[in-house]
Every structure is written in C-alpha cells, then in structure tokens.
C-alpha cells in the first residue's frame, strides 16, 4: 500500500545525508561565500591584464584552480540543501541568492579564458611544457579558441549565467512545488499519488486496474502543466541555439557535443543502431510480460511491471549493504571502504518526503566526499539504483584524489560507464550464487527491467526524441506542448511498433525528465552501459587484471577522451562492434527469460 509522503521535518535523521560535512552552520556557509568573494577580488586585482607569458599563465591557473575549489562546497551545499525539499523556502531563497552571486563571480573571472585565448599558441604550448598540471586545461582551451568571443562579450554572457540557467529551476519548481496530485480511485477505494510514489511504486504495481488508473491520474495532472513546461523547455532550447550561433558552431549539435569530445557520428550511431537493432528484442520482452500477466493488451503503462511480482523480496537499507558489499568486493578493499563509509557517515539520503527531487543522483564535490540522493522504497530495484550511484561515487572518489580540480571530471559521454558497471557487478554476483530458476529469472528480469530498460530503452528513446527536438530548433523553429507530444509519441510508436499500445498519456513522458536541461545527456547512458557491459564481461573472464585496468580508468578522471578511456579498459568505441555485442547480450538475456518462464510454468 502506497502511503502519503511525510514532510521533510518528519523523516528520521538517520535516513538523511549529513550536510554538516560541508558546512556545520549557516554562519559557516555565509563566511565561506564572503571568503570566496574576497578571494575573487584579490585574484582579479593580481592577474587581470597580467597574463602575458608562460610563467604567468601557470601562476594564474594555479590561483584560478584554488578559487574553483572554494566554489565547490558552497555550490554543492546550496544545491543539495534545496534538492531534498523543494518546498523549503529558506533553501530555495539561498539557492536563488547564490545563483546571483555565482553569476557575478563568473563574470569577474571570465577574463582568465579570454586573456589565455588571446595569447599566441606558442606561449600556451610553452606553459604546458613548464607545468603538466594544467596541460589538459590548456588543451581544451586551445580547442575552443575559435569559439571564444571578445572579452567584454564573455564577461556579459557570464553575468547572465543564472538567467540562462533559470529554465531548469523553473522546470523543477513546476514539477516539485506547483504540481500536487489528487488521490485516485479504484473500485470505490482511494489511493494517494505523488511523483515519487508513481515512479517508485505505481508504475510497477502488479494489479493492472490500480497501475493503469495511477498512470491515467498521473498523466491527467501532467497534462494540466504541459503548456507551462513546454514553454520552459523552449526557453532553454532557444538559449542553447543562440549561444551556439553566437559562438560560431555550425549546428547546435556541434556546440553541445564539443565538450563531450565526441563527434556527431558516435552520437548518431548510438541512437540509430539501438533504435533499429534493440527494438525486436524489447518487443519480445513486452510480449513475455503480457503473456505472464495475462493482459488483454500490452500498453505503455504496463512496460515496467516485474515478470514475477510475487518473488520480489523487500529489502531494507541495512540488508542492501550485504548485497552491495558482496557484489563490489572484486573492486578491492579501498573501494569497499568507501562503500562502508557512505552508509556509516550518512553520505546517502534515503528518505521519502514531499518536495524531494525525483530519481537518484550522486554529487561528488572536489575536496569532499560524494553525496547520494535516492528515495528508498525497499525493492530490489533500489539496490541496483544505489549500486549505480555508488559507481559514480567510486569514480570521483578515485579521480578527485588522483587529479587536480580541472582534470577530475571526464566527458559526459563516459560519465555513466562506472555507474552502470556496478549494476552489472551486482547482477553477475546474484546470478553466480543460485541455480534456482525462479531466482535466476528474477535476477535476469531485474537486469533487463532495471539496468537495460532504464539505460538502454528509457534514456535512448529520450535521446531519439531529443534529437528530433534539436533538429527542429537548429532549423530555426520552436516547440510547444503539441509539437513535443507528437514527437515523443512518434518515437515511442516507432520503437514498440504494433506490440505495445502507446496509450493516452505516454506522449507526456517528456515532461518527467530533467536531463533535457543538461544538453545531450540521455544518449550517454547507453554509451556508458555499452562500455561497462564489455568491461564487466572482461572482469568475469579475466578477473583481477581487468579490475586493475578499470581502477586505473577511474583514477584517470578527465585526462583522456572517452575513446581513450574506453581503450584503457580494453574497449574500442570508435567502431560499432561493442554496441552490437551489447545489444546481442540483451537479446540473450531476454531469450533466457523466455526459457526460464517455460521451465517454471511447466512445473506449476
């Protein structure tokens, strides 16, 4: 039974993360902001107009890195405090205030990249020879030289940064504050509904009448806000297109892929190949769900239900430790120590409460430990989600220790590889430890329904839809709710064909995803999972040598391109083979589910 969510002040403190590790009091936070502003003023005074040779380049970047490190805890605290309760006025006002402060700081500091970009190439190369600390930073700056604007224009654009980022804040406010769900009714009984309860429980509810009624009620509420949300999204898209044009990129795609260090062919291949090659496997999976559950028809609202809901064990936070420790033990003692600390030292926010951000994420502030947000419902899926976020944590726990603040973060293209790797390790561990057909089917269906469905299907279909949106924007167009609904529906219908009825409300799923405000992010999930699937197979086959290579990849942070990082782990992502291998592997898993289901049913 799904209950109404408590307010934040009612949840147990041990279920919440401990932000005291960033700032113990509001006074400490305010003092850090004041210290940051003072440091920026001193830095500007010392370096503005004085970066003119190789030694001054390295000295300025050293000071710039120090300031960047000061912004990290302040920005992280501001963001995390508001993410657990969007209804908290104090946290929202603090966030708004710091947004303005950060914009002023960015504007004042914009001279650094402007002055560096105006220096002759030989001076920058000389600086790289004199110090390897900032070689990576300068490489990226040299790549961007052609897109750098006049210093005064850069300063002005930086001053508007909080305004340019405003669409994302508006989206979250609409979603988490304004949108309030009424109870829905089935057979005369009322049931509570919220964003968290829908995505965490009702979507996977085995009772078809309740599940479909919840979907209809959820969709009806989304529909009330579709025009505001579409206008918000269009505002974000137009900002990106204008920035792309102003900076001289050929297309908005080139602009958004530039920092990912990925060319357009790798982006398109990921979407096109999966849409074509994976669809038949997933349609087979949809038919299996329909058969097992005896559904009159297979609708979009039925795709998330587990194959065997009666076998789904409830798992407490405490019990999850055992699964995760045993699954990730192959990663070594240092990695397991991080996992242990994350539970003991309250790095994780498990609570379910009103106003909390949906989904899950990991924030890994440089110079501090990671923080993980999840809303724990007690299903096995939560173990996979937590393992996923601990994959992000383990990545930056290693990279932040090994690299400077500019070198720690890799391309967005690679960011989901370490996270999905942990999901594969959990799955492999569970499969290895049982021969029971029902247990094996449950584990494999968890991998398909959670790891692959979420990362390879949900996010991939978002990416296919997003590409259609940007093609329209790139041609000088705009979007509204009707356009977005039609684009989303067309993508879903193309993938699922006649095997799944794309019922009313399915087209509104574009309203549920914050990733659209983060550039070309959704497709990177399947890219990361392609890499992690191949590496996890290596780890199963080769053991420790493959693990050691993977740990070196984590420590490398952003010092290599995605293709080079994958190559370090033994995967060549410049070809389509790893992707085709991964799709074939998903097909094998679904075939196993069909065979196991026949075996189980023959014994009943």
């Amino acid at each position: 039974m799904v209950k109404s969510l408590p307010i934040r002040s009612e949840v147990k403190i041990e279920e919440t993360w401990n932000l005291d590790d960033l700032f113990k009091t509001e006074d400490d936070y305010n003092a850090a902001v004041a210290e940051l502003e003072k440091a920026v003023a001193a830095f500007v005074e010392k370096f503005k107009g004085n970066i003119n040779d190789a030694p001054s380049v390295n000295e300025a970047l050293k000071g710039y890195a120090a300031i960047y490190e000061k912004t990290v805890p302040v920005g992280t605290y501001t963001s995390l405090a508001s993410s657990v309760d969007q209804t908290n006025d104090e946290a929202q006002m603090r966030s708004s205030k710091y947004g303005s402060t950060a914009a002023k700081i960015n504007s004042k500091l914009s001279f650094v990249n402007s002055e560096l970009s105006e220096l002759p190439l030989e001076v920058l190369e000389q600086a790289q020879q004199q110090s390897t600390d900032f070689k990576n930073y300068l490489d990226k700056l040299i790549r961007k030289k052609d897109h750098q604007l006049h210093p005064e224009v850069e300063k002005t654009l930086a001053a508007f940064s909080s305004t340019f980022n405003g669409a994302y804040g508006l989206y979250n406010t609409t979603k988490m504050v304004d949108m309030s769900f009424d109870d829905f009714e089935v057979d005369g009984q009322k049931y509570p509904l919220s964003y968290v309860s829908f995505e965490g429980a009702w979507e996977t509810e085995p009772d078809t009448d309740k599940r479909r009624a919840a979907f209809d009620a959820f969709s009806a509420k989304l529909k009330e806000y579709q025009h505001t949300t579409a206008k918000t999204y269009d505002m974000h898209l137009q900002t990106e297109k204008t920035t792309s044009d102003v900076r001289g990129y050929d297309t908005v795609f080139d602009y958004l892929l530039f920092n990912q260090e990925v060319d357009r062919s790798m982006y398109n291949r990921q979407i096109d190949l999966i849409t074509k090659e994976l669809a038949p496997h997933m349609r087979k999976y949809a038919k299996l769900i329909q058969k097992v559950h005896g559904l009159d028809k297979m609708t979009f609202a039925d795709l998330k239900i587990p194959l065997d809901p009666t076998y789904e064990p409830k798992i407490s936070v405490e019990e999850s430790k055992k699964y995760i420790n045993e699954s990730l033990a192959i990663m070594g003692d240092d990695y397991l120590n991080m996992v242990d600390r994350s539970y003991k030292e309250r790095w994780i926010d498990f609570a379910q409460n009103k106003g909390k951000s949906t989904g899950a994420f990991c924030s890994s502030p440089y110079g501090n430990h990671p923080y993980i947000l999840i809303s724990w419902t007690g299903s096995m899926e939560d173990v996979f989600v937590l393992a996923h976020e601990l994959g992000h944590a383990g990545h930056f726990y290693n990279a932040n220790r090994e690299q400077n603040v500019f070198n720690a973060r890799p391309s967005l293209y690679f960011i989901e590889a370490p996270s999905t790797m942990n999901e594969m390790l959990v799955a492999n561990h569970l499969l290895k430890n049982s021969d029971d057909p029902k247990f094996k089917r449950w584990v494999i269906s968890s991998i398909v329904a959670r790891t692959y469905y979420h990362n390879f299907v949900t996010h991939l279909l978002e990416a296919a839809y997003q590409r259609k949106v940007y093609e329209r924007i790139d041609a000088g167009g705009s979007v509204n709710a009707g356009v977005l609904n039609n684009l989303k529906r067309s993508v879903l219908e193309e993938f699922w064909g006649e095997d799944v009825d794309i019922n009313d409300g399915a087209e509104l799923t574009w309203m549920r995803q914050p990733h659209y405000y983060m550039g070309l992010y959704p497709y990177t999930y399947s890219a990361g999972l392609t890499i992690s699937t191949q590496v996890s197979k290596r780890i199963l086959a080769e053991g420790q040598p493959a693990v050691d290579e993977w740990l070196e990849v984590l420590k490398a942070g952003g010092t290599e391109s995605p293709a080079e990082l994958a190559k370090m782990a033994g995967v060549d992502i410049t070809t389509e083979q790893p992707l085709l291998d991964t799709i074939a592997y998903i097909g094998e898993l679904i075939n196993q589910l069909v065979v196991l289901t026949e075996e189980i049913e023959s014994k009943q």
Side-chain angles (χ1 to χ4, degrees), residues 268-287:
N268 285 327
R269 184 176 67 216
Q270 205 70 23
I271 297 171
D272 294 336
L273 261 184
I274 297 176
T275 302
K276 179 170 173 272
E277 303 289 341
L278 183 62
H281 297 304
M282 293 313 298
R283 290 176 189 179
K284 187 185 215 179
Y285 174 67
K287 281 183 173 173

Side-chain angles (χ1 to χ4, degrees), residues 326-344:
E326 289 175 357
S327 303
L328 304 184
I330 194 165
M331 295 293 285
D333 291 344
D334 183 58
Y335 199 97
L336 279 190
N337 179 51
M338 178 215 69
V339 173
D340 188 50
R341 286 182 63 198
S342 71
Y343 281 96
K344 277 185 183 166

Side-chain angles (χ1 to χ4, degrees), residues 283-527:
R283 290 176 189 179
K284 187 185 215 179
Y285 174 67
K287 281 183 173 173
L288 180 63
I289 291 175
Q290 182 181 1
K291 176 175 171 279
V292 168
H293 285 272
L295 299 175
D296 55 334
K297 60 180 177 178
M298 189 67 190
T299 77
F300 184 79
D302 304 318
L303 284 167
K304 295 283 186 78
I305 48 176
L307 263 182
D308 187 358
T310 62
Y311 201 80
E312 183 78 21
K314 295 304 281 181
I315 294 167
S316 68
V317 168
E318 192 58 38
E319 288 164 340
S320 71
K321 284 186 200 174
K322 177 177 176 288
Y323 282 107
I324 285 176
N325 279 334
E326 289 175 357
S327 303
L328 304 184
I330 194 165
M331 295 293 285
D333 291 344
D334 183 58
Y335 199 97
L336 279 190
N337 179 51
M338 178 215 69
V339 173
D340 188 50
R341 286 182 63 198
S342 71
Y343 281 96
K344 277 185 183 166
E345 298 174 19
R346 287 176 46 217
W347 298 1
I348 308 167
D349 200 272
F350 292 102
Q352 290 192 59
N353 59 264
K354 284 179 183 169
K356 184 173 177 177
S357 291
T358 58
F361 66 73
C362 176
S363 176
S364 300
Y366 191 87
N368 209 296
H369 61 72
Y371 282 92
I372 291 170
L373 179 140
I374 182 173
S375 293
W376 193 264
T377 63
S379 70
M380 188 63 198
E381 179 166 341
D382 289 343
V383 178
F384 280 95
V385 174
L386 183 54
H388 177 105
E389 299 308 333
L390 283 165
H392 287 304
H395 187 187
F396 291 106
Y397 182 76
N398 278 284
N400 287 352
R401 286 186 304 181
E402 297 289 328
Q403 306 296 338
N404 69 39
V405 71
F406 292 142
N407 288 354
R409 197 166 185 82
S411 155
L412 196 60
Y413 185 92
F414 192 83
I415 220 86
E416 295 299 337
S419 51
T420 51
M421 164 62 87
N422 278 12
E423 293 188 52
M424 299 306 298
L425 293 177
V426 170
N428 290 339
H429 169 73
L430 292 172
L431 279 176
K432 200 171 65 179
N433 284 286
S434 178
D435 290 321
D436 174 31
K438 287 199 91 170
F439 183 80
K440 284 187 83 165
R441 182 175 73 163
W442 168 67
V443 174
I444 294 170
S445 65
S446 293
I447 306 166
V448 172
R450 158 63 215 166
T451 303
Y452 285 110
Y453 188 99
H454 189 66
N455 298 303
F456 246 78
V457 181
T458 300
H459 289 316
L460 191 279
L461 293 180
E462 286 164 0
Y465 151 82
Q466 190 184 38
R467 184 170 64 177
K468 287 177 183 284
V469 170
Y470 278 117
E471 283 168 353
R472 187 181 175 93
I473 297 300
D474 217 37
S478 59
V479 296
N480 60 23
V483 168
L484 295 174
N485 290 341
N486 288 335
L487 289 177
K488 187 65 182 176
R489 177 171 283 279
S490 71
V491 165
L492 294 174
E493 287 175 346
E494 182 190 352
F495 187 82
W496 293 110
E498 294 178 2
D499 296 302
V500 177
D501 177 30
I502 306 302
N503 50 310
D504 287 346
E507 74 281 359
L508 295 167
T509 50
W510 62 267
M511 293 177 65
R512 293 164 54 183
Q513 186 53 269
H515 290 158
Y516 299 135
Y517 296 83
M518 302 169 191
L520 296 176
Y521 186 19
Y523 91 102
T524 66
Y525 280 84
S526 60

Side-chain angles (χ1 to χ4, degrees), residues 38-67 108-116 118-119 134:
K38 192 174 155 190
V40 168
F43 177 82
V44 173
E45 176 72 26
K46 183 175 180 182
F47 289 105
K48 190 170 184 182
N50 297 320
I51 307 175
N52 43 38
D53 57 15
S56 61
V57 166
N58 284 316
E59 193 187 353
L61 285 176
K62 191 175 177 183
Y64 192 40
I67 286 187
K108 286 177 182 174
L109 294 175
S110 66
F111 78 89
V112 177
N113 284 343
S114 292
E115 290 191 20
L116 290 172
E118 289 179 340
L119 290 173
F134 306 114

